[in-house]
Amino acid sequence: MEIWRLPISASQRGKLISAGYTSLSSLSSISSSDLARELNVSESEAMNILKVASHSRGSETSNASCSIVEVLDTFQWWAGAQSAWDMLHDEESLMHITTSSADLDNILGGGIHCKEVTEIGGVPGIGKTQLGIQIAVNVQIPNDFGGLGGNSIYIDTEGSFMVERAFQIAEACIEDMSEYNRFLRKDFQECKIKMQPQDILENIFYFRICSYTEQIALINYLDKFLSEHKDVKVIVVDSVTFHFRQDFDDMALRTRVLSGMALKLMNLAKRFSLAVVLLNQVTTKHTEASFQLALALGDSWSHTCTNRIVLYWNGNERYAYIDKSPSLRSA
Amino acid sequence: MANKLISEIPLPKSIANVFSARNVSTAKDALSLTEFELMELLDVGLTEVRSALLQISEIVAPPYQTALSLMEQRFQNEHLGGHFPTGLKGLDAALCGGIPFGVLTELVGPAGIGKTQFCLKLSLLASLPTNYGGLDGRVIYIDVESKFSSRRLLEIGLRSFPEIFQMKEMAQEMAGRILVLRPTSLAEFTQSLEQIKVSLLQNQVKMLVIDSMAALVSGEHEQGARRQQTLSWHISFIKSLAEFSRIPVVVTNQVRSRNHDDASRYCFQVQSRDGAIETPMQYDSHLVAALGIQWAHAVTTRLVLEAKSGERFIKVAKSPISPPLAFPFHITSSGISLLSDDGKEVMGPEINAIHYQGHNEIINFGMEGLH
């Protein structure tokens, strides 16, 4: 590992190189005060540099010297790294958010997965916003009924969130729960539904975004918000494309900003164990001498989300197609 | 919020100076770059960049509301909870009260079907005082194709609300509330939009009608994707206008015939032929809405007006709060009226199709009916 790969500022790097330190091993035996003197920086800065250097070095050397057997046992050096076995255990205990459609839940393997980013796209009018609102309501189904009992964040970029519709969906959800209650637990009178549609609406945190700057700012801010509101279990972004399709002259900048945003969202999903649902629009793509529909934001965006569902019309019915998923078949 | 100056955000002095030294003056500039780019540009460490970005983001990010408080706010402050009743009972019921505030509603249909008539009726309704079902405010009508007829407007007023319009001063007052703009090019339109934004709040404007959006763009000599790009600024501007002033915005759109280029299938649909039901209706209606798919995504509610087997229908094609219903209507001297308040439910993508059959008979019949 060379110096130029370290995450330190450019001027510090420049000073290191001009003082003659070009590889990490050269930093291994120097003390922080000597380094401070050589580079002409403050002692705390020098300590910082050494700390960063030893971090990166530690992971490198350990890689080289362990055999396969030892690797399995001692895989916890990196903070946040997990062995595949532990992950399997975690995944099995993960809950899913139902989409209220049994078929869709089936092909999704139980529902929308937590700790993952799912993208849902489709032509206008097919029901993306409806599905988004439905998920924001369904996440609040209490644990007794097989739900997550959590709150939801709804990030609206287009203004298509209609409160009246959310109210209708909340009412229907409560009705469903009462029916389920009556059907299965006829004897237990105390399991009456105490939830009201207003309670459900109260647990949906609604953000309205008017530009892409606000979108980026909000995703940065969500980190703090989520640590204050630990009950949030799903973030719905409707839609993630809108502000990025208007007047972005620099396409490369757009790609960089979008991938940065996607990484942060994945990070949030993993750290707070929640599901992230992104709704996307469609655009026409010219492939094989014909125009076809494809989800917006380009090819590089399609790599960033974990799961992809496309909603489309087939005859008179709406169909969902799983375009991309690490654990499920295309269906 | 996006253009908030960094100097106004409480950041530690050292980093604020660095930002201004490198010409990163608004939040937009700072947030558009990735963390590493900022590190390179400003020559500071990762943790400092991160904490600065966090602080900027916290200030720029919009505040949240719970959906419940949103609903309560709407119901308390706005007319009928944020809906503008059109007077067509069936349609109003389907739309949960009427045309929603704060979002774009689109009327699309072939020529001569009644879009402008509908707009005239709506403008009239908006200018009426609230006890007659109106919004008691001004209306800005952007008339691109010079179709606005004040004579017809007064005729509609006279027939529908005789008690108001028979008095000359009242008629003058109502008609005086409707401001008609006639931009002749896209550039003029852009200019008037910006002026509208300024005068919206001052002048008690309660509705904006743009008739028609497609005509603005067809005047420009660009095709396909470039045309969409030209409009994209306008789309988001109009949406934000509607949003922050919470007024209903009605926009009309034209139709064009379907080309070979029109995409209607995804790549996975093309590959698997079995299981895909061939929809013969695709070849039946060769009309599609103009302005493309980006526009279709941007409007919140789409009302399709079409003519089928001699009758006219108004269909709720896209709406977050309504089922897909079609209502038969006709045009009378008092504007548009529904022939039946019970909508017929239309399944599948048929709701989006635009038919144009038997139209000539309607026109002839209508001429007789008017005399």
Side-chain angles (χ1 to χ4, degrees), chain A residues 130 164 206 208 224 256 293, chain B residues 37 58 65 83 243 320:
Chain A
Q130 301 298 304
E164 298 92 344
Y206 175 79
R208 175 73 172 95
K224 182 159 174 220
R256 288 202 298 275
L293 289 173
Chain B
E37 282 173 353
E58 190 166 345
Q65 256 187 323
H83 291 275
E243 188 77 31

Side-chain angles (χ1 to χ4, degrees), chain B residues 73 93 101 130 168 188 252 295 320 349:
Chain B
Q73 208 182 44
F101 286 10
T130 35
K168 193 151 182 251
E188 252 187 70
T252 38
W295 171 256

Side-chain angles (χ1 to χ4, degrees), chain B residues 84 118-128 136-143 148-154 156-157 165 170-182 203-210:
Chain B
F84 171 40
F118 199 8
C119 290
L120 287 176
K121 181 87 188 270
L122 285 177
S123 329
L124 195 78
L125 274 177
S127 63
L128 292 177
D136 200 21
R138 294 222 162 94
V139 177
I140 296 187
Y141 193 107
I142 301 186
D143 181 24
F148 187 88
S149 152
S150 22
R151 191 173 304 176
R152 173 73 178 128
L153 183 76
L154 288 171
I156 298 180
F165 282 83
M170 286 300 282
Q172 200 177 3
E173 157 99 22
M174 294 304 141
R177 289 188 182 171
I178 304 178
L179 191 66
V180 181
L181 292 172
R182 292 211 160 124
N203 294 350
Q204 295 263 318
V205 174
K206 295 283 175 131
M207 189 163 97
L208 177 64
V209 180
I210 304 181

Side-chain angles (χ1 to χ4, degrees), chain B residues 278-344:
Chain B
E278 271 300 325
T279 43
M281 51 71 75
Q282 278 184 353
Y283 304 102
D284 214 8
S285 91
H286 45 264
L287 294 174
V288 289
L291 291 181
I293 203 160
Q294 197 185 359
W295 171 256
H297 273 296
V299 297
T300 312
T301 312
R302 177 174 257 193
L303 300 171
V304 173
L305 287 82
E306 64 168 11
K308 207 167 164 180
S309 42
E311 273 196 317
R312 296 187 212 214
F313 286 91
I314 181 167
K315 302 196 287 200
V316 183
K318 177 187 176 189
S319 162
I321 34 180
S322 335
L325 294 173
F327 300 92
F329 73 94
H330 65 229
I331 305 193
T332 60
S333 48
S334 59
I336 285 200
S337 54
L338 291 182
L339 289 170
S340 150
D341 279 330
D342 301 312
K344 193 181 62 163

Side-chain angles (χ1 to χ4, degrees), chain B residues 155-217:
Chain B
E155 183 191 4
I156 298 180
L158 211 55
R159 292 300 171 101
S160 333
F161 301 97
E163 59 278 11
I164 305 184
F165 282 83
Q166 269 167 3
M167 296 185 284
K168 193 151 182 251
E169 318 83 54
M170 286 300 282
Q172 200 177 3
E173 157 99 22
M174 294 304 141
R177 289 188 182 171
I178 304 178
L179 191 66
V180 181
L181 292 172
R182 292 211 160 124
T184 46
S185 70
L186 194 59
E188 252 187 70
F189 176 64
T190 316
Q191 250 182 343
S192 26
L193 269 186
E194 311 207 316
Q195 289 169 344
I196 288 175
K197 182 165 184 173
V198 170
S199 63
L200 258 183
L201 291 172
Q202 297 167 346
N203 294 350
Q204 295 263 318
V205 174
K206 295 283 175 131
M207 189 163 97
L208 177 64
V209 180
I210 304 181
D211 178 19
S212 67
M213 199 74 186
L216 277 173
V217 189

Side-chain angles (χ1 to χ4, degrees), chain B residues 7-8 30 40 45 66 116 156 187 195 217 219 239 264 280 285 296 348:
Chain B
S7 48
E8 291 175 16
E40 288 281 325
T66 60
T116 308
I156 298 180
Q195 289 169 344
V217 189
K239 275 189 91 140
S264 57
S285 91

Side-chain angles (χ1 to χ4, degrees), chain A residues 33-48:
Chain A
S33 42
D34 291 332
L35 189 63
R37 214 172 351 113
E38 291 242 2
L39 296 182
N40 218 353
V41 294
S42 71
E43 172 126 8
S44 50
E45 262 194 68
M47 251 199 322
N48 225 9

